[in-house]
Amino acid sequence: MNFSKKSLVLVAFSFVTAMFSQEKPEVKIGGALRFNYNLSSWKDGQKKRGGDFGFDVFRINAKAKYKGIKLNAEYRFYSQSFGGGMLKQGWLGYDFNEKDNIQLGLTQVPFGNTQYNSHSWFFGINYYLGLEDDHDMGVKFTHKGKKWEYALAFFKNAEELNFGSNSDVSDSRYSYDVASIDIDSDGNLDLRYKETNQINGQINYHFENKNTQHKIGVSAQYGGLYNLDTEDISNHHAFAMHYQLNVKNFDMKAQVSTYKYNTKNTTYSNLIALTAYGAPYLTATEATTYTLGAAYTFPLKWKSISSIQVYNDFGYMDKTAKNFEDSIMNVFGFLVTAGNVYTYIDFATGKNHPWLGPKWTNALANGTPNANWEMRFNINIGYYF
């Protein structure tokens, strides 16, 4: 075949153009450094000292994109007593179009109001039950339209760090998952379970009225519950109805959730262990939770402060077992935004809550009759980059 000089020039030009029009890799690195002050009503020594101020977390965020494939990862470094290093999330994604996306890896479970069902640094009571901002290992498809959005997901298991035949779940994790625990403190693990083969579905509907935006939805999840001792598989499930309201600078989040773990355990039929941040505890195998949170943001132009958000998040855990004491959590606080610095000032109160009282292991399980209201005053200061 014979090519003219003009044809050769056109071919060469087309090749060079195609070569330089190739999508270039995109990489973004960010993170945060946070410090924390807290003063707890049930800690006498701490009260005499006037509270404690120290390191909270250092985290690294990485986002990348090349040829349509996206990466999103966040690794956190806590103190060893708080769980040490842990991957909060880490997934590969692909956008089919502007509305449809798929994610593979450690990704957020589509359940309830997402991304969060709360406003405070403490989150809401559902977080401590593994029902808010939970992340598991699997694949998730999401569709986000103007009116409708939905998500379908399959999770093989929670974050898996130990790959033995019947290895216990690691306590070093960001979100709460089913785990193992020594109830009698005799050195033997009495409850040994892990989550497996879970499916999730979530659907939301958006509608507007002038300056008011509404989002109402339902969520469901069903999965296996593997007994590490008997090697039997039972099941667990959860359902939720959720609602979000936004009116200019005001927003509200409401949710009703119910869950049940069918352990088939005759000795501890009403108990299951959950773990995160290096320390497991017990919770009731069946309960209904009611949460309501509201916030109002005041825009400011005072030196470096751009806004102050005032919020209150309330949560109530109604346990099905008749001899179990219900759990309550309420957080009133402020979020102060100043450039890249975000400061949460929280007054967190609760009854029968492991993070808000002297009882850790049984607070979300059978609890303590006539438990006192306890309070934790907390200030979290973070620089995000």
Side-chain angles (χ1 to χ4, degrees), residues 81-114:
S81 62
F82 213 54
M86 61 187 71
L87 185 68
K88 178 198 173 184
Q89 64 185 37
W91 49 263
L92 302 178
Y94 180 78
D95 293 328
F96 296 100
N97 49 55
E98 294 182 354
K99 298 180 180 180
D100 301 316
N101 168 268
I102 191 168
Q103 297 176 5
L104 174 69
L106 183 59
T107 183
Q108 188 183 52
V109 176
F111 186 86
N113 284 320
T114 50

Side-chain angles (χ1 to χ4, degrees), residues 181-190 268:
I181 196 171
D182 178 6
I183 297 178
D184 302 322
S185 301
D186 58 1
N188 297 316
L189 296 176
D190 304 293
Y268 305 107

Side-chain angles (χ1 to χ4, degrees), residues 90-316:
W91 49 263
L92 302 178
Y94 180 78
D95 293 328
F96 296 100
N97 49 55
E98 294 182 354
K99 298 180 180 180
D100 301 316
N101 168 268
I102 191 168
Q103 297 176 5
L104 174 69
L106 183 59
T107 183
Q108 188 183 52
V109 176
F111 186 86
N113 284 320
T114 50
Q115 181 176 354
Y116 305 109
N117 185 42
S118 54
H119 304 86
S120 70
W121 178 80
F122 276 95
F123 299 118
I125 198 167
N126 283 350
Y127 175 77
Y128 303 91
L129 299 170
L131 297 176
E132 179 182 351
D133 199 25
D134 185 23
H135 293 73
D136 289 334
M137 290 296 302
V139 59
K140 177 175 67 176
F141 174 84
T142 61
H143 171 86
K144 293 185 178 180
K146 185 176 180 180
K147 294 291 185 181
W148 293 94
E149 65 178 37
Y150 57 85
L152 297 172
F154 170 76
F155 297 101
K156 189 66 188 73
N157 43 252
E159 303 96 303
E160 189 61 76
L161 301 178
N162 303 318
F163 291 89
S165 178
N166 288 315
S167 300
D168 294 298
V169 168
S170 170
D171 296 325
S172 295
R173 60 190 57 241
Y174 162 82
S175 52
Y176 278 93
D177 295 302
V178 173
S180 304
I181 196 171
D182 178 6
I183 297 178
D184 302 322
S185 301
D186 58 1
N188 297 316
L189 296 176
D190 304 293
L191 284 175
R192 301 182 67 222
Y193 290 95
K194 63 171 55 178
E195 302 165 18
T196 185
N197 301 330
Q198 178 177 301
I199 56 175
N200 279 79
Q202 179 193 62
I203 186 167
N204 290 297
Y205 178 71
H206 298 254
F207 59 98
E208 298 182 7
N209 181 14
K210 294 183 179 181
N211 295 323
T212 304
Q213 292 84 42
H214 306 266
K215 183 166 74 170
I216 186 168
V218 293
S219 301
Q221 73 178 33
Y222 179 88
L225 196 61
Y226 182 79
N227 188 310
L228 294 169
D229 292 318
T230 66
E231 298 187 347
D232 291 331
I233 298 180
S234 52
N235 61 76
H236 67 95
H237 63 261
F239 303 95
M241 296 181 62
H242 31 92
Y243 171 73
Q244 293 186 49
L245 168 70
N246 286 276
V247 185
K248 294 184 179 180
N249 296 333
F250 173 82
D251 81 85
M252 183 182 71
K253 302 177 182 181
Q255 183 168 318
V256 178
S257 311
T258 181
Y259 75 87
K260 183 176 182 179
Y261 293 97
N262 295 304
T263 63
K264 295 183 179 180
N265 190 311
T266 56
T267 305
Y268 305 107
S269 59
N270 292 325
L271 301 175
I272 193 76
L274 299 178
T275 192
Y277 298 107
Y281 52 60
L282 294 170
T283 187
T285 54
E286 186 175 2
T288 300
T289 63
Y290 305 89
T291 62
L292 178 64
Y296 189 89
T297 302
F298 296 90
L300 293 176
K301 290 184 179 180
W302 185 71
K303 295 184 178 181
S304 59
I305 298 178
S306 58
S307 69
I308 295 179
Q309 184 185 71
V310 182
Y311 52 78
N312 192 88
D313 293 321
F314 174 79
Y316 182 82

